[in-house]
Amino acid sequence: MYDSIPDILNTVAQRYIGDHPKHSFLFRAYHQGGVRRRGDYRYDLNLNEKCVEAHAGQYVYVWGKLWSEQNATLNTGLNCYSPVTIYVNGVEVFKSELLQELFPERRTQIPISVNYGWNDVLLCFVKTEVGFGGIYGTASFKNFPLHFLTPGADRQGQEGWLYSEPVDEPVVSLPRDGMTEEETGLTWYPRRGWTDEEQSMGSFARIFGTEKPAVAYAWSRLDVTLPGTSPVILKGRHDGALTLYVDGTEVYSAGSSGNFRVELPRRYGTSDLVAKGEIQAVGGSWGFTLEDAESSDSKGWRLKSPHPVAGCSDPWLYTGVFAPGAAEPSHADIVRTDTVFDDGAQGVYWRVDLPDTHVRPYLENTHYGKWNYPLGVTLLGLLQTGQELGRDDYIQYVRQHIELSTSFDRYGLWDREGYGAAGINNQLSAIDSLDDCGSFGSTLLAAMELGDIRGGRDTADRIAGYITDEQERLEDGAFYRVRGSGEMRQETMWCDDLYMSTPFLMRYGQLTGDGTYWDDAVNQFLMFRKYLYLPEQQIMSHVYDFVRGRATGIPWGRGNGWVLFSLTELLSILPHDHVKRSELLRFYRDLSEGYLALQGENGLWHQVLNRPDSYEETSCTSMFIYAYARGIREGWLEQPESYLEAVRRGWEGITRLSIDYKGNIYGVCRGSGYSFTALYYRDDLGWNLNDTHGIGIVLLAGIEVHKMNQQLREAHIDSSVTAAQR
């Protein structure tokens, strides 16, 4: 590949951004009377609560659908309250057995094969005297939790499951997606439409009720599609008080029921249209109707939703209710989708004009807008590439990705509290490990140095609070893992966690001026060294297992890369007069010497550092290159010539073996568990193409090599000029 480092970095960055373009969360309608998710993102299909009239021996079908970008096998998890049969695309894939039915606390892993496109998932439960239903859904929610959509043609786009009326015998023909609910021959719940009586009420009345004095808002967009001089005329009727605003300017107000007619200047493009209603008499109707709105397109204007909501075609969003007076938000503050509004109680968000149906955002792509630790490093690489190469488009891409997460952070916490599991920010809203917060949080703080990010400081403060006050620690204060995705991760210390914590602590200490965060980061390195350092080789064991009372002794490449990379980040911020700086600098040099001895013949380091028979791994190589190039620039290394050669060989090896001409990255180990045998790392942990564990660190390595080259070149020029002047 061409050896211009800026060209290589631009190719990698542009390939990544092109594959993962900017877009917002997807908003879906969600019926509050449907099936609630649990904190593990599985659905609690407790049919005793939903079908109270059912009797023992009856059947109820629970029906959902999944979209898949490819033919794949997905892991799902089931707990049975009663007998169940599961069908995927009309084929039986699982039938419960006696022990599963008698012990509902037992979780069964069920892999399901799905096809590209939509896939029907149908569960048929049988009621017994002791239970009815089960818990079903995604097997692991930290990576990418599955959420199921409402099947059938009637509620297209809504999130959740349908459940049928109880029947005495199994149906002859299974429901399938594309059928209307009537075509299935079953009645499905939750109910999808208003009754005639509810429909005759005012819009605010049927959505929010009439039990108390209240204020509510509706929000739409007025879209003028044809320019001209004739006015846009809004006319209709309202029950109760009504005020209309267009782009924040009041255009109509009446304190009592009546008809309205408003002439607006025809301004091409979209404007926010906000309606504020107030109930005047408890038990009375309130709401509004806009005449000719559906046929207005022929007049050169139309109403459109301020944010499309899958599962509802109504152009209005509604929020409330608020007590009249000071507690209500202003019309100017209401035109946001990232805010939970204060109603004096639990808070409220947007709803649509359907029974008990709320609006919720969902993340339905694998990268943009997602918060996880590999993306934290990916975005840091893109951010620093943008800074070094003067590419503001890269910088703004990163900042907007981060802001999409942080601006919805408070919403995500509220959503999780109200619905059991948030459709966005699944890791940020459910922090219970350093993986969930430290890596991405560090990149957030780096991005905040370039300007304010909406919600950024609140998110950073919450992360700092978790790391300081909630993360599990040993008696000596060292981080370790108690909770995790499985038994194998309990009571362990992973060298990975130095990156999941210390760069954030260092940057947060900079932000706040509180040196205790620096002290915590420093002490983590010294304590991790005590448990994981292998002094005879001057490298690190991947994991210490406290149940077994010993380190694994296996030097996994990326785990060691995290250590040296993180130590480099710490040294770049830690004051020169810090009492423990010299000890950390010695540790950096010892590790650097140990890794230097293990560099492979092609310039790359191996998946298992001391096993040349394991594959050459890109992410650890990039981290060692980064740390060495940074050390040369900063003067941290005592014999820089040896490390300069290692950097040169390493970068040449990466550009020859790990990056192709389209900017694809090869040879990055996938996410890891741990083992006491090197064969697990060598044989079971293969590498992925364009894995986010490696893209960002390749970019960071390239930046550091580029900076090092420039510094050495400038130093040579300066010394040549000085010699000439003599």
Side-chain angles (χ1 to χ4, degrees), residues 506-526:
M506 295 304 295
R507 285 195 167 100
Y508 193 75
Q510 270 189 316
L511 175 69
T512 62
D514 187 343
T516 61
Y517 295 101
W518 290 348
D519 293 339
D520 194 10
V522 167
N523 289 333
Q524 293 304 324
F525 270 96
L526 299 179

Side-chain angles (χ1 to χ4, degrees), residues 10-239:
N10 276 319
T11 301
V12 173
Q14 290 168 19
R15 196 279 313 160
Y16 177 85
I17 293 172
D19 284 352
H20 308 290
K22 293 186 288 187
H23 53 85
S24 185
F25 300 130
L26 181 62
F27 286 66
R28 293 191 181 278
Y30 168 83
H31 199 298
Q32 186 82 343
V35 178
R36 179 182 169 88
R37 270 176 164 176
R38 296 155 37 94
D40 65 0
Y41 278 73
R42 293 186 301 154
Y43 295 83
D44 190 358
L45 308 171
N46 189 341
L47 298 178
N48 270 335
E49 296 177 353
K50 300 294 183 185
C51 307
V52 294
E53 303 295 327
H55 57 74
Q58 285 193 304
Y59 300 82
V60 163
Y61 290 87
V62 180
W63 185 21
K65 67 178 182 179
L66 280 173
W67 173 265
S68 179
E69 290 289 340
Q70 58 189 349
N71 295 340
T73 298
L74 303 178
N75 292 318
T76 63
L78 171 75
N79 292 71
C80 299
Y81 300 150
S82 68
V84 60
T85 305
I86 301 177
Y87 304 87
V88 176
N89 296 325
V91 177
E92 180 181 317
V93 298
F94 175 81
K95 188 168 186 175
S96 59
E97 298 176 350
L98 182 61
L99 288 179
Q100 293 160 335
E101 298 159 9
L102 291 178
F103 297 96
E105 68 277 8
R106 292 187 177 182
R107 179 165 167 166
T108 302
Q109 300 298 312
I110 303 173
I112 61 172
S113 296
V114 296
N115 303 321
Y116 170 78
W118 289 112
N119 295 267
D120 279 297
V121 180
L122 191 72
L123 294 85
C124 178
F125 290 101
V126 183
K127 181 175 173 60
T128 71
E129 297 291 354
V130 294
F132 194 16
I135 302 169
Y136 182 70
T138 193
S140 175
F141 76 89
K142 284 299 181 78
N143 182 32
F144 204 89
L146 304 175
H147 62 260
F148 289 78
L149 300 188
T150 305
D154 304 277
R155 321 186 200 208
Q156 200 69 252
Q158 296 186 16
E159 193 265 336
W161 298 79
L162 299 182
Y163 59 94
S164 75
E165 61 184 332
V167 294
D168 294 328
E169 299 291 339
V171 297
V172 175
S173 179
L174 294 176
R176 64 181 185 277
D177 191 42
M179 284 184 169
T180 65
E181 293 173 26
E182 287 73 17
E183 286 172 341
T184 68
L186 297 169
T187 300
W188 296 93
Y189 299 95
R191 70 185 181 107
R192 71 175 188 269
W194 299 112
T195 65
D196 291 342
E197 180 181 357
E198 290 167 331
Q199 194 65 48
S200 68
M201 302 168 64
S203 52
F204 289 134
R206 63 176 170 264
I207 295 171
F208 299 114
T210 62
E211 293 79 20
K212 59 183 179 180
V215 169
Y217 285 93
W219 176 27
S220 185
R221 286 251 168 87
L222 177 63
D223 183 18
V224 176
T225 57
L226 289 177
T229 57
S230 60
V232 172
I233 299 175
L234 305 179
K235 60 181 180 178
R237 174 170 178 80
H238 60 92
D239 295 321

Side-chain angles (χ1 to χ4, degrees), residues 199-208 216-221 234-245 252 254 256-260 273-279 285-291 293 303 314-319 353:
Q199 194 65 48
S200 68
M201 302 168 64
S203 52
F204 289 134
R206 63 176 170 264
I207 295 171
F208 299 114
Y217 285 93
W219 176 27
S220 185
R221 286 251 168 87
L234 305 179
K235 60 181 180 178
R237 174 170 178 80
H238 60 92
D239 295 321
L242 182 71
T243 305
L244 297 177
Y245 304 90
Y252 174 81
S256 59
S257 303
N259 298 316
F260 64 90
L273 176 59
V274 173
K276 175 184 175 182
E278 184 172 351
I279 186 172
S285 184
W286 60 310
F288 67 97
T289 302
L290 195 63
E291 296 177 10
L303 293 183
D314 187 8
W316 291 94
L317 302 180
Y318 299 83
T319 191
D353 191 3

Side-chain angles (χ1 to χ4, degrees), residues 237-469:
R237 174 170 178 80
H238 60 92
D239 295 321
L242 182 71
T243 305
L244 297 177
Y245 304 90
V246 175
D247 280 347
T249 300
E250 182 182 309
V251 297
Y252 174 81
S253 184
S256 59
S257 303
N259 298 316
F260 64 90
R261 186 179 189 277
V262 180
E263 289 191 9
L264 302 173
R266 181 177 291 271
R267 188 175 64 188
Y268 183 76
T270 59
S271 304
D272 285 309
L273 176 59
V274 173
K276 175 184 175 182
E278 184 172 351
I279 186 172
Q280 293 178 309
V282 173
S285 184
W286 60 310
F288 67 97
T289 302
L290 195 63
E291 296 177 10
D292 300 330
E294 294 184 1
S295 61
S296 60
D297 201 28
S298 62
K299 302 175 184 178
W301 65 272
R302 60 182 178 174
L303 293 183
K304 58 187 293 188
S305 177
H307 197 299
V309 177
C312 180
S313 59
D314 187 8
W316 291 94
L317 302 180
Y318 299 83
T319 191
V321 293
F322 308 100
E328 68 190 61
S330 72
H331 63 276
D333 293 334
I334 212 74
V335 288
R336 302 200 65 92
T337 57
D338 60 4
T339 301
V340 176
F341 303 112
D342 182 9
D343 66 343
Q346 288 80 27
V348 293
Y349 192 63
W350 294 104
R351 300 178 63 166
V352 293
D353 191 3
L354 290 170
D356 209 12
T357 303
H358 298 241
V359 176
R360 296 176 66 193
Y362 294 87
L363 176 68
E364 299 190 1
N365 66 89
T366 57
H367 290 68
Y368 191 81
K370 188 171 180 60
W371 175 291
N372 64 25
Y373 80 82
L375 280 171
V377 191
T378 301
L379 295 180
L380 183 63
L382 287 170
L383 183 71
Q384 293 193 10
T385 300
Q387 291 176 278
E388 179 65 19
L389 302 185
R391 291 295 300 257
D392 187 64
D393 53 335
Y394 299 171
I395 294 171
Q396 295 312 313
Y397 174 90
V398 171
R399 285 172 51 81
Q400 289 165 18
H401 177 141
I402 294 170
E403 190 169 68
L404 186 57
S405 293
T406 59
S407 64
F408 277 85
D409 185 24
R410 288 187 177 182
Y411 170 83
L413 296 172
W414 177 86
D415 188 295
R416 180 176 176 84
E417 179 68 24
Y419 300 115
I424 59 170
N425 289 354
N426 61 296
Q427 292 190 33
L428 182 58
S429 67
I431 295 173
D432 68 359
S433 71
L434 293 171
D435 276 1
D436 291 339
C437 57
S439 168
F440 206 113
S442 178
T443 302
L444 161 63
L445 293 176
M448 286 170 58
E449 294 174 6
L450 304 179
D452 184 55
I453 288 181
R454 182 173 171 84
R457 180 57 190 266
D458 287 345
T459 301
D461 290 346
R462 191 162 70 82
I463 292 170
Y466 171 80
I467 293 176
T468 301
D469 301 324

Side-chain angles (χ1 to χ4, degrees), residues 486-542:
E487 289 185 5
M488 64 175 249
R489 294 195 176 188
Q490 294 180 357
E491 298 189 53
T492 51
M493 174 185 285
W494 297 49
C495 62
D496 316 41
D497 283 345
L498 286 172
Y499 185 74
M500 308 308 154
S501 58
T502 59
F504 174 86
L505 291 170
M506 295 304 295
R507 285 195 167 100
Y508 193 75
Q510 270 189 316
L511 175 69
T512 62
D514 187 343
T516 61
Y517 295 101
W518 290 348
D519 293 339
D520 194 10
V522 167
N523 289 333
Q524 293 304 324
F525 270 96
L526 299 179
M527 289 181 287
F528 272 57
R529 181 180 65 179
K530 178 176 69 174
Y531 290 101
L532 297 173
Y533 188 52
L534 305 173
E536 68 283 358
Q537 301 175 74
Q538 295 177 237
I539 56 180
M540 300 284 279
S541 170
H542 182 207

